[in-house]
Amino acid sequence: MNSSPSAVSILLFFTVIAITLAITYWAKKRSRTTSELYAAGGQIKAWQNGWAIAGDLLSASTFLGGMGMFFFAGYDAVIYMFAPLLGFIVMLGFVAGPMRRLGRFTFVDAAATRLSPVPIRIIGALSALAVTLMYLVGQMLGVGGLIEIMFGIPYEAAVVLVGMLMVIYVAFGGMLATTWVQLTKAVLLVFGVTVLGVLALSHLNFSMDELYRRASEVHKLGAALLQPGGLGLSGLESASLSIALILGMPGMPHILMRFFTVPDAITARRSLAISITIVGFVYYVVVFILGPAGVALLAANPAYTNASGMVPGGSNMVALHLAHFLGGEVLFGLIAAVAFATILAVVAGLTVAAASSISHDLYAKVFARGAVSETKEKLVFRVSTVLIGLLGVGLGIAFKGQNILFLTGLVFSIGASACFPILIMAMYWSRLTTPGAVAGGATGLALSVGLIVLGPSVWVQVLGNASPIIPLSQPAIISAPAAFLVMIVVSLLTREPDRLRVAQPA
Amino acid sequence: MRSTVVKLERRGAALAVLAVILVSAYQALFFLAPDVMSAPLWPDSALTVALLLGNLSLVIPVVFAWWMIAADKPDGETFDASHR
């Protein structure tokens, strides 16, 4: 396949940028207060928020990484699809409604409602920052490879370009611009995967049997392509990964924030049901049709694979090569533009969440103790957005070469071990005390980050050591229960000050 | 202002847990009954029992989500209302 950029690719690429900047310009005029900046004024409708949540979740990891993982590891990619959907169900059953009732701008608002706000906000904001920054790295990796393959420009330059765009969206358009960028992207993505899926099946006479037969015949795993084990994860690691994804989803700060953009709890729940339907559809097409189709149509095709059997640009680019195979330059350009829009939307959502953690939780509520003007809080939000942009670009370059879906698994470990325990226990367990929440959250955060750093994914693959200190690549099975355990034990051993037993503003 | 914990919405919570159990059971079947999961749906078919159950497992969360919100009624409670 010729990797030089086509006119169609360039045109669609700049069309996406133009549309998103136009949305930002429109939203800027409607983002004057902190409520509008953080939560779009709470006036987003259920269907809009449903598509936007889907736009938040359906990241580069889902689309590019999901197909890429199926290409080299087969059916294990399913874990990355099923478990987040179950996480959404947990979110719907336990979190979405109460979150909208208790919180205002960030998930830490809800957690801090009945506990001592300052320490809860510090540990909550640090957890949120860890999650969002790591997630940001995954997205940056996707976009670097994508623009490299589309335009042949260096990875680093592509990461810088995306960093600049996300800062513009969030700093000027706030949550309203982010919502409409996410909504637009989700519609484009559903359209894109549907077109790809139909065209892929048409090449195989619309026969699923033919699709799976050809995939098994040409893949190195053979019939095992459709069985678990391609990733080489042990049973323990598979379970740990599932726990991370199921419990991590209801702890994702950028998705939890979306519940504050709608008027009430029922709208929040309805919007989540809508997004589960959209996400379920995309997951289905990606994992059951496009994943196997990528293998069946590309793996034995010398025009799309190199000597080692991999597609140019790495496994994350399977979706683009499949698009080129099915529809030439036009479809390649369309899907590349969809993938690019996907990444832009997700990084915008992550940046809003990260910047809000700094400006609302840490600055306005901890540092200034609530005594801060709207103007100053908005300024801090915008400065934070720039800082997050710089950090995201720096980390995106430092983590170059990692598989983005694997990184997402690590992010969910932090969400499951730090954000989710604090949130769920604060909502439902009356014996929880501030020291218990802080100790448990800190334990979850430290263990998940520490085990990740000492494990194979960072200690070996990033830092270049020969072997990991902790041979577990997915730490949630240890860190999440440990966070809950510490939270319970410390709460039972401590007592909330009497003044906090009476209702207080967060 | 609020000083108490949230009241658990039992129906939604039970359905959420049931959905997790059903889909987790699907994943567990790969380890408990691998021969059944890799069995073809009909002779000489590349489609396996695992793929059929996988399709169902992806539908379960979607169906359960709409089931969970089917009984929702407006309660008028928002952050502003509950903290006024």
Side-chain angles (χ1 to χ4, degrees), chain A residues 75 82 89 92-94 101-104 114 209 212-213 227-228 263 266 269 277 284 288 427-430 503, chain B residues 2 5-6 16 26 30 38 44-47 54-55 57-58 61 66 68 72-75 77-79 82-83:
Chain A
Y75 205 68
F82 278 35
I89 286 291
L92 182 60
F94 295 92
R101 294 187 187 101
L102 296 179
R104 195 168 190 186
R114 67 182 187 86
D209 197 41
Y212 287 103
R213 185 184 309 284
Q227 298 292 322
I266 284 191
R269 283 165 59 82
T277 309
Y284 181 86
F288 285 116
M427 282 180 172
Y428 290 105
W429 192 44
S430 61
Chain B
R2 176 186 292 273
V5 292
V6 173
Y26 164 69
F30 279 109
S38 59
D44 298 327
S45 172
L47 300 176
N55 276 257
S57 295
L58 205 56
W66 288 99
M68 287 162 74
D72 277 3
K73 291 188 179 68
D75 58 8
E77 191 179 7
T78 65
F79 175 87
S82 59
H83 290 71

Side-chain angles (χ1 to χ4, degrees), chain A residues 3-49:
Chain A
S3 63
S4 61
S6 70
V8 178
S9 300
I10 295 169
L11 180 68
L12 291 171
F13 179 78
F14 283 108
T15 301
V16 167
I17 293 178
I19 290 172
T20 51
L21 288 177
I23 289 172
T24 305
Y25 179 75
W26 168 81
K28 181 178 179 295
K29 298 174 181 174
R30 294 160 179 80
S31 300
R32 294 196 172 93
T33 66
T34 49
S35 171
E36 288 166 344
L37 209 53
Y38 290 131
Q43 296 305 312
I44 300 295
K45 294 180 174 63
W47 72 266
Q48 295 168 334
N49 200 41

Side-chain angles (χ1 to χ4, degrees), chain A residues 100-120:
Chain A
R100 180 63 190 90
R101 294 187 187 101
L102 296 179
R104 195 168 190 186
F105 298 141
T106 68
F107 89 92
V108 186
D109 282 336
T113 303
R114 67 182 187 86
L115 299 170
S116 185
V118 170
I120 293 298

Side-chain angles (χ1 to χ4, degrees), chain A residues 198-477:
Chain A
V198 170
L199 287 177
L201 286 176
S202 73
H203 261 263
L204 300 156
N205 303 317
F206 290 97
S207 167
M208 295 294 275
D209 197 41
E210 179 69 11
L211 169 64
Y212 287 103
R213 185 184 309 284
R214 283 183 58 174
S216 301
E217 283 171 359
V218 299
H219 200 276
K220 65 180 186 299
L221 291 172
L225 177 75
L226 306 176
Q227 298 292 322
L231 280 177
L233 295 175
S234 65
L236 188 70
E237 284 182 316
S238 285
S240 188
L241 176 59
S242 295
I243 288 171
L245 293 169
I246 293 171
L247 299 185
M249 180 58 68
M252 288 291 112
H254 65 300
I255 292 179
L256 292 171
M257 257 190 105
R258 294 230 50 90
F259 298 129
F260 305 124
T261 65
V262 296
D264 53 38
I266 284 191
T267 312
R269 283 165 59 82
R270 176 165 286 273
S271 66
L272 189 51
I274 291 169
S275 76
I276 287 172
T277 309
I278 298 164
V279 169
F281 171 77
V282 173
Y283 278 2
Y284 181 86
V285 177
V286 168
V287 81
F288 285 116
I289 297 175
L290 296 180
V295 176
L297 300 173
L298 302 181
N301 188 336
Y304 290 91
T305 51
N306 53 29
S308 61
M310 187 49 70
V311 294
S315 61
N316 292 326
M317 296 300 129
V318 169
L320 293 173
H321 292 294
L322 182 63
H324 189 270
F325 174 83
L326 294 169
E329 292 295 341
V330 173
L331 192 58
F332 174 85
L334 176 71
I335 296 302
V338 168
F340 180 58
T342 294
I343 293 165
L344 288 180
V346 176
V347 295
L350 291 165
T351 307
V352 170
S356 303
S357 294
I358 296 173
S359 62
H360 180 65
D361 292 320
L362 291 180
Y363 175 73
K365 296 293 183 182
V366 174
F367 180 73
R369 303 290 168 125
V372 60
S373 67
E374 281 222 346
T375 308
K376 200 158 189 184
E377 189 170 341
K378 283 191 295 181
L379 177 66
V380 175
F381 175 82
R382 289 182 167 123
V383 171
S384 305
T385 301
V386 175
L387 289 176
I388 296 298
L390 289 171
L391 257 178
V393 168
L395 290 172
I397 292 170
F399 275 75
K400 181 182 177 183
Q402 292 282 309
N403 180 283
I404 55 180
L405 197 55
F406 186 65
L407 261 183
T408 304
L410 300 182
V411 167
F412 278 82
S413 287
I414 301 173
S417 310
C419 303
F420 180 69
I422 292 174
L423 184 62
I424 202 81
M425 296 292 267
M427 282 180 172
Y428 290 105
W429 192 44
S430 61
R431 295 286 299 273
L432 182 72
T433 63
T434 301
V438 172
T443 301
L445 180 62
L447 267 182
S448 50
V449 174
L451 291 176
I452 286 168
V453 170
L454 298 176
S457 53
V458 175
W459 196 254
V460 177
Q461 293 174 24
V462 177
L463 301 177
N465 293 292
S467 58
I469 295 175
I470 306 290
L472 190 64
S473 60
Q474 302 294 338
I477 202 164

